[in-house]
Amino acid sequence: MLDKYLTKPGFGAAVKRERGFLIFILLMFILPFGIRALTGSGLNEGVTKFWQGQLITFFIMAVFAMSYDLLIGYGGILSFGHAASFGGGAYTFALLTKWWAPRFLESYRVMLGSVNISEGIVLLLILLAVLAVSIIIGLIFAATSIRLKGTYFAMLTLAISSAFYILIKATDFHQWTGADEGLHGIPLPVWLNPTQNRFTIYVVSLLFLMICYLVMRRMVNSPTGRVIVANRENEDRMRMIGYNPVTYRAIAFVTASIFAGFSGALYSIWNMSASPTMMSAVTTVNALIMTIMGGMGTLIGPVFGAAISQVIQQFFYTWFGARWPLVFGILFMLIVMFLPYGVVGTWRLQGWKVKQGWQRFLDLFKAKKAAG
Amino acid sequence: MKPKTKKIITLSIVVLVVLVITLLLYKVAGKEPFIRTALSGLTLGSLFFLVAAGLTLIFGLMDVLNFAHGSMFMLGAYMGWQLYTNPTFIFALLPHLLAFATGVMLLPLIKPTLVRMKLPEKWVNAIPKITLVLALLLAVFSFIGFDILAYAKTAMVAASIATAGNPFAEITPQEPFATYWIRPVLIFLSGLLVAIASAKPGNKQEFAVRERLSKTLPVPVIFFSLTILALVVRESAPKAVLLMDGNLRFAIAVLVSIIFGFVFGQVVEITLIRPLYVRPTFIIIMTLGLSYVIRELVQLLWDPLAYQMVRPPFAAQPGKAANLLEWFQKGSSTLNIFGVTFPTYRLFVIALGIVMFIFITILMTRSRLGMIIRAGVQDPQMVEALGINVKSIFTLVFALGVAMAALGGIGAGPFLPIQPLMGDQYQTQGLITVVIGGMGSYVGAFVGAMILGMARAFGDYFALKYSLSTAIAEASTVIIMIIVLLARPQGLFGKKE
């Protein structure tokens, strides 16, 4: 099914291939201006601000779900510990920004000409730390997959992520991590503050989504990505050919973990806080739900899934009241039962039927015209 | 090395390690705290076992990881609590369920006739879909105007009143029979339509033997008479149950939980899990969704609050019993064990766990069903080739596991707050137990559960002693699991694949 993506190399072909996604990004970029033109409120206030907020959550969760799709859809690895990477990124960012950055900014000042870039340097260093932590967490999970497979592995990932969760919730470290309440009020520079400069965050997360999608798409279509998919299909045969499955699983884990870690860091910027929920199994299950709803192993599916779940969260509350998750859960079960390939996967499998039907409908019209 | 000697070596190593750790803990903690903590650990271990036993059997036989097991534990607690404090809800809903079941149970009676019908192919495909939609519509119709929420809420009010000694004040008057009778009829028709849909009329691939009426008729007739009975006692039964002796009421509550778990497990296996055996990953995801739905449903019915169930009289009288005999005579709430005061109800939970372990051991080693299950764990295809209906065994084992989780739920009811999230912790610990013990091994589940219970209890004790947070106790189980997995990836009693 993916073969059509492998045919043409080159930049122009890539742009043509991803034109739908790029148009979507462009539309999303124009959207705030459109809302501003319609309602007359400024970019950082009123309705525009509200809708930007909704979309920012959607963008970040879409990247998180896509990174989960790398594992479950392409790698065929059912991990219940993906939230550890997300929360790990978020907490690394929050802890460093809260406790280390102010001290650094007090004692050092980095100048580029006459511009003070020390805040930018600090941000860069912190993001590097996020990268390091995500890689380490990814490697931990990869290391456990050496000896265990299938269900045992799924349960071990659950246990490891719950160990992280317990660690972050432990009251022993209350003065640093805030235990149950989480870290609040992360000091962010004004130009990155989501309450003051929402449009900046909006653009940043939109670019983040675009870059992550394109990088992941490139990775999935690369030879490495193909080997990861082959690992999902038949591990023994792959070992026969001479690939080491452990290495490729580790690559899948680390890549997924890096994307999840960065989305976690961005999420903590956007909320200006990090809470233990980000590390709990609920977050993993959310990513799982988004991936399943959109379609596993499609990469664009999780984006759809994130959009659907965001829309559902918005509207179900007003339609069904406080118990809306009941309706959502039933919907989810129906999707698992009847649309196992998700929205995108089912469309790819069945889309031609719809197209055929549409064509037949058009033909009918033409025939009538010709007869008339 | 022979497998048996290897097993004995493993067992002796485990026993040795346990003994050394016990001695060490005894030395560090001192006598009285040691006994108290060990008994708390046994209590927790019993509950873990009740959850893990179902999980391990279900996994061992059909490779299904049931992530809704904790929710089923919670449902068992809710059902028992409902019956114990105010059974109005259960008795109001009973005619519905029984009428529906009567309809579905007619399946073996009508299937031979329906399958032999000669229908055009179009209809063969369309009839099951149409009938299912009709059945859903009828079921919805039968519930319109039926105030389920009000019946559910009665126990919430009663929960506070029952402690004051007057549980009768809040029994809601039920709908008069003159307008009520249509509901069971409608839902019976709905069940009948479901039976027709699953009989697949005219389908040439289906096969059904025409059996004698004496074989197929009794089940629907029994269900029909039960429905009539439930209709008759609909209003009087809640009062009668509440008038009963507390101990008897508790026994009935336990029984209701078990039966509920058994039936619920069967329904879940047949409707949700059976179609997905071809896609194993999706079963996990499906059970996740199911647990989500169950939790939300419970929150809808009983609000997201925590309830306290009253302890049954045999462990609720004030005073401390000097020995077991005195407890049995007086029903004291605490008992003196080697100089330690311990709540008697927890001893009951420990006994429950041990009795269930013995029951499972006997079931697995001495009965025909146990033999089939053990064979099925080894090789399901071969068992099927020998002419045993593996599908129905799957259903039975799943139902058995869920029933045990429900029993654990009602067992935990009187000393845990009853709330929608109460099962989650037990599910996580149950999963860890299963991994430690080895999937598919009930002995492993028992040993693992006891180890985890002890780890939790002693972790809590030492955390308190050295003024640390309880995170250590929670993390200790995960650490034990990781150690066991690294040393023996298949678990303590698991078989190597």
Side-chain angles (χ1 to χ4, degrees):
Chain A
M1 205 155 50
L2 285 165
D3 291 345
K4 62 179 172 187
Y5 293 105
L6 293 176
T7 43
K8 283 180 196 163
F11 182 74
V15 170
K16 202 182 168 194
R17 229 163 26 222
E18 303 300 342
R19 60 186 182 277
F21 182 75
L22 291 174
I23 288 169
F24 162 76
I25 293 288
L26 201 67
L27 281 178
M28 282 292 131
F29 184 73
I30 298 169
L31 192 70
F33 296 102
I35 298 176
R36 183 173 70 164
L38 279 178
T39 59
S41 60
L43 270 182
N44 289 319
E45 60 197 35
V47 189
T48 326
K49 188 174 176 180
F50 170 75
W51 281 107
Q52 280 178 39
Q54 297 300 316
L55 286 169
I56 290 168
T57 319
F58 155 51
F59 296 151
I60 298 172
M61 289 322 279
V63 173
F64 181 48
M66 275 199 290
S67 75
Y68 195 66
D69 192 28
L70 270 191
L71 280 183
I72 189 174
Y74 287 94
I77 305 161
L78 183 61
S79 160
F80 284 108
H82 205 47
S85 306
F86 188 74
Y91 264 95
T92 313
F93 187 86
L95 283 172
L96 287 177
T97 325
K98 186 145 189 181
W99 305 119
W100 175 73
R103 242 187 285 161
F104 183 87
L105 287 175
E106 262 172 30
S107 35
Y108 300 100
R109 181 174 295 170
V110 188
M111 304 292 282
L112 187 74
S114 60
V115 189
N116 187 352
I117 56 158
S118 42
E119 277 177 348
I121 294 288
V122 166
L123 197 66
L124 198 68
L125 286 175
I126 291 175
L127 286 180
L128 279 178
V130 169
L131 180 71
V133 168
S134 321
I135 290 176
I136 290 169
I137 292 176
L139 283 177
I140 291 175
F141 281 108
T144 55
S145 78
I146 295 173
R147 287 199 72 165
L148 297 164
K149 262 178 240 159
T151 321
Y152 274 96
F153 173 71
M155 290 185 12
L156 193 70
T157 53
L158 187 67
I160 292 176
S161 82
S162 70
F164 277 107
Y165 180 58
I166 292 165
L167 183 74
I168 221 72
K169 263 183 76 140
T171 43
D172 307 67
F173 310 112
H174 187 274
Q175 48 172 326
W176 295 294
T177 58
D180 263 342
E181 306 114 57
L183 268 174
H184 290 288
I186 300 170
L188 286 172
V190 178
W191 54 271
L192 202 64
N193 195 316
T195 43
Q196 290 159 324
N197 268 321
R198 183 151 301 183
F199 188 64
T200 321
I201 293 283
Y202 181 81
V203 172
V204 166
S205 49
L206 185 60
L207 284 179
F208 179 64
L209 172 65
M210 186 178 87
I211 292 168
C212 286
Y213 174 78
L214 292 178
V215 170
M216 275 191 238
R217 175 60 82 200
R218 180 72 191 85
M219 185 203 150
V220 163
N221 289 339
S222 72
T224 316
R226 306 307 294 170
V227 177
I228 289 170
V229 173
N231 195 5
R232 171 190 75 186
E233 294 300 329
N234 194 335
E235 197 183 314
D236 293 331
R237 195 174 289 180
M238 215 187 77
R239 199 182 273 127
M240 282 305 205
I241 301 171
Y243 291 106
N244 187 356
V246 174
T247 319
Y248 284 89
R249 240 184 335 229
I251 291 172
F253 261 117
V254 171
T255 330
S257 180
I258 288 171
F259 286 115
F262 276 123
S263 58
L266 194 56
Y267 200 74
S268 79
I269 293 179
W270 154 233
N271 278 326
M272 290 178 78
S273 68
S275 62
T277 330
M278 288 172 154
M279 252 190 195
S280 72
V282 177
T283 311
T284 313
V285 172
N286 275 343
L288 182 69
I289 289 175
M290 288 171 196
T291 313
I292 298 287
M293 283 205 301
M296 292 195 314
T298 54
L299 215 52
I300 195 73
V303 181
F304 271 89
I308 295 170
S309 93
Q310 197 67 23
V311 168
I312 282 175
Q313 274 176 32
Q314 255 316 299
F315 292 102
F316 272 27
Y317 185 79
T318 46
W319 293 346
F320 300 108
R323 292 275 79 83
W324 66 267
L326 181 63
V327 187
F328 179 56
I330 292 171
L331 193 71
F332 175 67
M333 278 165 75
L334 288 177
I335 284 180
V336 173
M337 192 67 111
F338 298 110
L339 295 179
Y341 303 103
V343 177
V344 175
T346 312
W347 170 255
R348 282 193 185 159
L349 284 177
Q350 306 278 336
W352 59 273
K353 268 189 195 168
V354 180
K355 276 181 201 157
Q356 249 179 4
W358 179 241
Q359 199 58 47
R360 215 180 292 159
F361 179 71
L362 287 183
D363 287 348
L364 208 76
F365 218 62
K366 270 181 202 160
K368 259 189 190 168
K369 239 181 196 174
Chain B
M1 210 169 358
K2 278 181 193 166
K4 201 160 188 181
T5 43
K6 207 170 179 184
K7 208 171 184 178
I8 290 168
I9 289 172
T10 323
L11 204 66
S12 46
I13 289 174
V14 168
V15 167
L16 204 73
V17 169
V18 166
L19 272 180
V20 168
I21 291 175
T22 316
L23 275 176
L24 213 73
L25 288 174
Y26 188 81
K27 275 268 185 237
V28 177
K31 188 187 164 198
E32 283 191 13
F34 174 77
I35 293 173
R36 191 179 298 125
T37 321
L39 284 173
S40 313
L42 283 179
T43 319
L44 273 178
S46 284
L47 290 179
F48 291 161
F49 170 69
L50 287 175
V51 175
L55 276 176
T56 199
L57 282 184
I58 292 168
F59 185 84
L61 189 63
M62 40 196 150
D63 282 352
V64 169
L65 200 57
N66 184 9
F67 268 84
H69 220 68
S71 308
M72 287 154 181
F73 175 89
M74 179 261 291
L75 265 184
Y78 267 89
M79 282 299 143
W81 164 69
Q82 278 287 313
L83 190 109
Y84 192 69
T85 36
N86 191 337
T88 317
F89 172 73
I90 291 177
F91 282 104
L93 216 56
L94 204 57
H96 273 85
L97 301 178
L98 285 172
F100 187 76
T102 315
V104 176
M105 290 297 164
L106 285 172
L107 174 64
L109 202 66
I110 58 173
K111 186 164 182 176
T113 327
L114 284 177
V115 166
R116 281 174 179 75
M117 274 161 76
K118 289 205 167 54
L119 292 168
E121 195 153 331
K122 223 179 193 174
W123 284 107
V124 171
N125 292 330
I127 282 178
K129 285 172 194 162
I130 295 171
T131 43
L132 275 183
V133 170
L134 274 179
L136 191 69
L137 276 180
L138 278 180
V140 168
F141 273 131
S142 80
F143 275 104
I144 286 178
F146 184 67
D147 202 354
I148 266 189
L149 290 182
Y151 296 129
K153 298 280 191 288
T154 51
M156 277 159 53
V157 188
S160 53
I161 294 165
T163 43
N166 181 14
F168 307 110
E170 282 298 329
I171 291 182
T172 352
Q174 302 204 10
E175 204 179 343
F177 189 75
T179 56
Y180 179 80
W181 66 272
I182 188 74
R183 301 185 190 283
V185 172
L186 278 176
I187 200 132
F188 165 75
L189 288 177
S190 164
L192 191 62
L193 284 175
V194 170
I196 291 174
S198 39
K200 295 181 185 152
N203 194 330
K204 293 203 176 52
Q205 283 153 6
E206 289 290 313
F207 164 78
V209 185
R210 237 186 261 268
E211 296 202 53
R212 260 176 293 162
L213 273 183
S214 60
K215 255 190 172 175
T216 49
L217 206 55
V219 179
V221 168
I222 290 171
F223 269 90
F224 184 69
S225 33
L226 279 178
T227 314
I228 300 292
L229 188 71
L231 274 174
V232 172
V233 301
R234 192 165 60 101
E235 287 180 80
S236 56
K239 271 177 208 163
V241 169
L242 283 180
L243 272 174
M244 278 175 194
D245 173 49
N247 288 331
L248 187 61
R249 194 145 46 102
F250 184 72
I252 294 178
V254 170
L255 206 65
V256 162
S257 282
I258 294 175
I259 293 173
F260 172 79
F262 198 78
V263 173
F264 186 67
Q266 281 190 335
V267 171
V268 165
E269 207 274 342
I270 291 172
T271 54
L272 298 181
I273 295 184
R274 194 175 279 182
L276 292 175
Y277 276 123
V278 275
R279 293 191 290 269
T281 319
F282 279 79
I283 295 182
I284 295 180
I285 295 161
M286 185 54 124
T287 54
L288 267 176
L290 180 66
S291 78
Y292 197 79
V293 168
I294 292 175
R295 186 182 308 151
E296 288 303 324
L297 201 62
V298 164
Q299 290 187 2
L300 178 73
L301 286 175
W302 291 290
D303 291 351
L305 300 170
Y307 300 101
Q308 193 65 54
M309 185 171 158
V310 187
R311 256 180 297 169
F314 69 81
Q317 312 307 332
K320 187 162 95 176
N323 50 39
L324 278 177
L325 206 65
E326 204 182 327
W327 170 35
F328 291 143
Q329 280 166 354
K330 286 189 191 163
S332 333
S333 61
T334 53
L335 179 72
N336 186 356
I337 306 168
F338 304 117
V340 177
T341 310
F342 197 73
T344 43
Y345 187 77
R346 297 195 174 204
L347 285 183
F348 169 73
V349 173
I350 297 175
L352 201 65
I354 292 171
V355 166
M356 283 318 286
F357 175 62
I358 294 169
F359 167 73
I360 289 186
T361 315
I362 292 172
L363 181 80
M364 294 292 278
T365 51
R366 293 274 175 270
S367 74
R368 190 179 151 75
L369 176 66
M371 194 175 74
I372 296 171
I373 293 173
R374 278 183 294 143
V377 171
Q378 297 265 338
D379 193 343
Q381 278 93 17
M382 192 65 214
V383 173
E384 192 151 30
L386 290 174
I388 290 159
N389 189 350
V390 174
K391 270 187 187 171
S392 67
I393 298 286
F394 279 10
T395 313
L396 200 61
V397 169
F398 195 89
L400 205 69
V402 174
M404 274 218 281
L407 174 65
I410 179 63
F415 72 93
L416 283 181
I418 297 177
Q419 43 131 336
L421 293 174
M422 72 185 280
D424 287 22
Q425 190 206 347
Y426 285 87
Q427 179 182 312
T428 318
Q429 300 300 334
L431 288 173
I432 295 176
T433 304
V434 169
V435 172
I436 289 179
M439 299 210 188
S441 157
Y442 57 95
V443 183
F446 187 72
V447 174
M450 288 305 154
I451 293 175
L452 283 199
M454 290 295 170
R456 284 303 290 269
F458 277 100
D460 278 336
Y461 170 73
F462 283 115
L464 204 68
K465 194 173 178 184
Y466 299 112
S467 58
L468 295 164
S469 72
T470 52
I472 292 179
E474 285 171 44
S476 67
T477 57
V478 177
I479 294 166
I480 292 176
M481 171 178 170
I482 290 170
I483 292 172
V484 168
L485 277 181
L486 292 180
R488 259 182 85 84
Q490 72 272 35
L492 291 178
F493 291 85
K495 285 187 188 66
K496 211 163 201 170
E497 293 194 3

